[in-house]
Amino acid sequence: MFKSRSEGNVVYKCTVRLLEDLDVLECEFQPHHKGSFLLDYVCEQLEITEKDYFGLRFVDSAKQRHWLDLAKTIIKQVKDVDPLVLSFRVKFYPADPLRLTNNGKLMLYQQLKRDLRHGRLYCSAGEAAALGALIVQDELGDYDAETHTGEYVSSLKIALRQSEQLEKKAMELHQKREPGQEAVAVYDEFVGIARSLETYGIDPHPVKDHRGTQLYLGINFSGISTFAAGRRTQHFRWPEVHKINFEGKMFIIHLAYSEDRREVKKHTVGFKCPSGAACRYVWRCSIEQMLFFTLPTSQHASVVSGGGFFSWGTKFRYSGRTERELMSEALQALRQQKLNNTSPSKRKAQSVPATPSSPQGDLAEIRKSRYSSLPRSTMSEPLGGCGDHMASSVYCTDNPLPTLETVSEEARKTNGESNDHLSDYYFRDSFDHSSSESGFTAANSANAIGDHHHRHGGATTAGGHHSHLHHHHRQAYTTDNIPALAMHSVTNHAASIIQQQNASNSAKNAKKFSLVQAFVPSFVFVVVVLIVSAIYILETDSELFASMRNWPEMICLRYQYYQPLKEFLAKKFGAIF
């Protein structure tokens, strides 16, 4: 990996190997760039529109392959790789490869040709000769007796195990081909033959079954397959795969299928990988392939967790579009293209004609009124059946709030306390009221009423003693008694609020304390029961647990954790076991 500093910015350089061995592409990226930046740049240079089928792969320092995650930064994924060399490859082989266009189909053809040369596209001798003849047609052109003499195919690399018989058969088929064929027709024929093979889109992963037999695991658009000696021995279709996880080196597939539309049967299959890193790589490839070919949209993708109870968990979230999204977008683009290619005469016939009753100048108003009269979609309605007048409210309930009305100043003073209570209900949580806040409200109310009484008590005339007494007596009734009652009610209300808060806080503390006390013993009890049960199942010879001991999880637990721990304790504490 090379980096250079220029004007305070760190720029990393990497090399991307293309599908042809001699073709490379030099790229640059910065620390904040994600994997999608690099893939977009490569696809832009190669003029590929269907970039979702492709990916970038690299090999870490432990010789383990990885696909570059498009949603994560590049530098965090390749920090231990030096020099940084990535390979541009087809990641998702489409179920219908003829749907790809232009350079996308060319890249798929080059990938399949590469798979044939490296032995991944396993086929019979006749199919290999037919594919070899197409490679000769693409690289040497039409057969010419003067130019193509002798063993002219021997200079080309066709297959992994290329023999003289294969070269002769490929030459015979090449000589029989009709001249003047375009390159696109050759690509389509080659891809069509490769699509019919069982090893189409298969990147073999070496694994072993429960008997220790060497197998190769392949994952493509149809599901997960196992291969032995170049032949497919098992095939698990995606609709039958219920769950995929791993435990240490064990790659586990949980199946749920029904025979003859009867009850659903569940089955678990496990395969042992060479290492834990290889097992995680197989698990991630399986998850990505399954989500890409089965999900309707990428929005339905959730975080998938892998790894069992006794291994470090791995979380993965799918990023990018799915095949169904690509198909719908391609179909929509095709419809738009057909609409654009429609002749002007047909467009004019389909449009609204100009008549004396509807002149050409009023067509815009006619279209506007016609569109405005259409019923609105139910998707534009708010959730929960709330109307437009409820759009600004905090809560949207079945019982709508009363509409706002104009209130006089006197009525607003009288109803001030109830209005404040209503606003507090909607804009503050009842548990967030503090005692100081309630006391502050009560003190302000008392001071306001006392000031009102002081102002009215001093408003007497100098010449009317009887009227002064009468007025004072009436003022004492109207200003002294009411504030006293108000102060008493406000004080009682504040005291009740404080008491309720203290009770709720004590109840919360009691609940938390009791929850902790109940959780810890329960957790310890469950762990002890699980450990004792696992030891009993592994040590007993009862036929009742024979099927359970053959589970991949139990086998992994026995040989990777229980047996080494048992031997360690036996060495430490003597003959306890």
Side-chain angles (χ1 to χ4, degrees):
M1 185 189 305
F2 303 96
K3 62 180 180 180
S4 61
R5 296 182 178 272
S6 175
E7 299 180 359
N9 296 327
V10 179
V11 178
Y12 294 91
K13 296 181 180 181
C14 65
T15 302
V16 178
R17 295 188 302 181
L18 303 181
L19 291 169
E20 294 292 341
D21 294 329
L22 300 179
D23 296 340
V24 295
L25 190 64
E26 300 294 335
C27 304
E28 295 181 353
F29 63 92
Q30 293 182 347
H32 65 276
H33 285 150
K34 297 182 178 181
S36 57
F37 168 81
L38 204 56
L39 181 62
D40 292 344
Y41 175 78
V42 175
C43 291
E44 182 181 356
Q45 296 298 317
L46 299 177
E47 298 180 355
I48 299 174
T49 56
E50 300 95 345
K51 60 182 181 180
D52 298 88
Y53 292 101
F54 301 88
L56 296 172
R57 194 167 58 194
F58 64 95
V59 181
D60 62 8
S61 57
K63 305 302 180 182
Q64 176 60 50
R65 295 186 301 174
H66 300 276
W67 286 104
L68 190 67
D69 196 333
L70 303 182
K72 296 181 180 179
T73 56
I74 304 172
I75 194 64
K76 288 184 178 180
Q77 302 180 61
V78 298
K79 56 185 177 181
D80 60 340
V81 180
D82 191 20
L84 181 54
V85 179
L86 298 98
S87 300
F88 178 75
R89 299 291 182 263
V90 175
K91 187 176 183 179
F92 303 106
Y93 290 73
D96 184 10
L98 299 179
R99 189 173 59 248
L100 298 182
T101 59
N102 301 330
N103 286 350
K105 185 179 296 184
L106 174 61
M107 293 297 110
L108 180 60
Y109 163 73
Q110 292 182 357
Q111 178 69 69
L112 292 173
K113 185 171 62 173
R114 186 181 184 86
D115 294 343
L116 181 64
R117 290 173 176 174
H118 288 77
R120 289 187 294 267
L121 191 63
Y122 190 84
C123 55
S124 62
E127 293 166 339
L131 295 173
L134 292 170
I135 295 176
V136 174
Q137 176 69 30
D138 174 51
E139 296 189 5
L140 300 181
D142 296 334
Y143 172 72
D144 188 0
E146 298 180 357
T147 306
H148 303 143
T149 59
E151 304 294 333
Y152 63 92
V153 179
S154 59
S155 61
L156 301 177
K157 181 64 176 177
I158 297 177
L160 178 63
R161 298 176 181 177
Q162 188 168 333
S163 60
E164 295 181 359
Q165 295 179 354
L166 178 62
E167 293 177 357
K168 290 180 180 180
K169 186 64 176 177
M171 284 190 297
E172 291 178 3
L173 296 176
H174 176 242
Q175 295 170 7
K176 294 179 181 179
R177 297 189 63 85
E178 296 182 1
Q181 232 177 2
E182 295 183 356
V184 178
V186 176
Y187 300 157
D188 291 343
E189 189 174 352
F190 186 94
V191 170
I193 297 175
R195 168 64 179 81
S196 62
L197 301 176
E198 293 180 347
T199 53
Y200 168 75
I202 294 298
D203 187 14
H205 306 274
V207 295
K208 292 183 179 181
D209 61 2
H210 63 284
R211 298 186 182 92
T213 307
Q214 181 66 48
L215 300 173
Y216 290 94
L217 208 63
I219 310 156
N220 62 359
F221 69 92
S222 60
I224 303 175
S225 304
T226 58
F227 295 88
R231 296 183 179 274
R232 185 163 65 182
T233 57
Q234 290 177 308
H235 180 55
F236 311 113
R237 299 184 300 111
W238 289 130
E240 299 175 353
V241 177
H242 176 66
K243 183 182 178 181
I244 304 173
N245 65 342
F246 66 93
E247 180 68 48
K249 297 180 182 180
M250 190 70 66
F251 176 69
I252 305 169
I253 306 172
H254 300 269
L255 303 172
Y257 57 93
S258 58
E259 296 180 354
D260 299 333
R261 296 183 180 179
R262 296 179 181 176
E263 60 180 5
V264 178
K265 295 183 179 181
K266 294 184 179 180
H267 185 56
T268 304
V269 183
F271 302 96
K272 189 176 181 180
C273 299
S275 62
C279 188
R280 286 192 296 271
Y281 175 68
V282 174
W283 171 79
R284 178 156 181 164
C285 291
S286 303
I287 292 295
E288 285 186 302
Q289 294 281 336
M290 182 177 65
L291 296 180
F292 179 80
F293 289 108
T294 58
L295 282 182
T297 59
S298 58
Q299 297 177 354
H300 293 78
S302 58
V303 178
V304 182
S305 60
F309 183 77
F310 296 98
S311 64
W312 294 102
T314 303
K315 292 185 178 180
F316 168 73
R317 186 183 185 93
Y318 179 78
S319 60
R321 295 178 295 180
T322 63
E323 189 183 40
R324 295 189 185 181
E325 288 181 305
L326 298 176
M327 292 174 61
S328 62
E329 291 178 4
L331 183 60
Q332 185 177 1
L334 183 61
R335 291 176 179 175
Q336 187 66 28
Q337 183 179 2
K338 289 183 177 180
L339 183 61
N340 295 335
N341 293 336
T342 306
S343 59
S345 60
K346 292 184 179 180
R347 292 182 186 177
K348 188 174 181 181
Q350 293 174 359
S351 61
V352 180
T355 59
S357 59
S358 59
Q360 188 70 24
D362 298 333
L363 285 179
E365 296 296 331
I366 294 173
R367 294 193 184 99
K368 183 177 180 182
S369 62
R370 183 177 300 172
Y371 290 141
S372 62
S373 63
L374 292 175
R376 297 182 62 183
S377 172
T378 56
M379 296 298 291
S380 61
E381 293 292 332
L383 294 176
C386 303
D388 295 337
H389 63 282
M390 294 293 292
S392 61
S393 63
V394 179
Y395 300 103
C396 184
T397 59
D398 295 335
N399 298 325
L401 294 176
T403 56
L404 298 177
E405 297 178 357
T406 56
V407 185
S408 61
E409 186 179 356
E410 292 78 4
R412 188 180 298 111
K413 289 181 180 180
T414 306
N415 299 329
E417 184 178 354
S418 61
N419 291 336
D420 293 339
H421 179 70
L422 182 63
S423 62
D424 286 344
Y425 176 77
Y426 282 99
F427 294 99
R428 288 189 297 178
D429 190 0
S430 60
F431 291 101
D432 292 338
H433 294 312
S434 62
S435 58
S436 62
E437 190 177 11
S438 302
F440 177 75
T441 306
N444 287 345
S445 301
N447 292 336
I449 297 175
D451 293 341
H452 179 76
H453 167 62
H454 178 73
R455 286 195 303 268
H456 284 275
T460 55
T461 58
H465 181 70
H466 178 72
S467 62
H468 170 74
L469 293 176
H470 180 72
H471 180 72
H472 181 73
H473 176 72
R474 183 176 60 187
Q475 187 71 16
Y477 178 77
T478 58
T479 62
D480 292 344
N481 294 337
I482 292 179
L485 294 174
M487 281 293 297
H488 181 68
S489 62
V490 169
T491 305
N492 291 339
H493 181 63
S496 63
I497 290 176
I498 295 173
Q499 187 177 3
Q500 291 177 2
Q501 290 176 354
N502 294 332
S504 63
N505 292 332
S506 61
K508 284 183 179 180
N509 295 331
K511 288 181 180 179
K512 290 180 180 178
F513 183 74
S514 61
L515 181 62
V516 172
Q517 281 186 338
F519 175 75
V520 174
S522 302
F523 178 76
V524 173
F525 176 75
V526 170
V527 171
V528 171
V529 170
L530 288 176
I531 294 175
V532 173
S533 302
I535 294 175
Y536 178 76
I537 293 172
L538 293 174
E539 291 294 337
T540 185
D541 295 332
S542 176
E543 296 294 335
L544 181 63
F545 302 104
S547 61
M548 190 177 296
R549 284 194 295 270
N550 293 328
W551 288 358
E553 292 87 347
M554 298 302 293
I555 296 174
C556 181
L557 175 63
R558 174 189 289 273
Y559 291 105
Q560 292 192 11
Y561 300 99
Y562 178 71
Q563 200 69 27
L565 181 62
K566 182 178 176 181
E567 295 175 357
F568 173 76
L569 294 177
K571 292 180 181 178
K572 272 291 186 187
F573 302 102
I576 297 179
F577 292 88

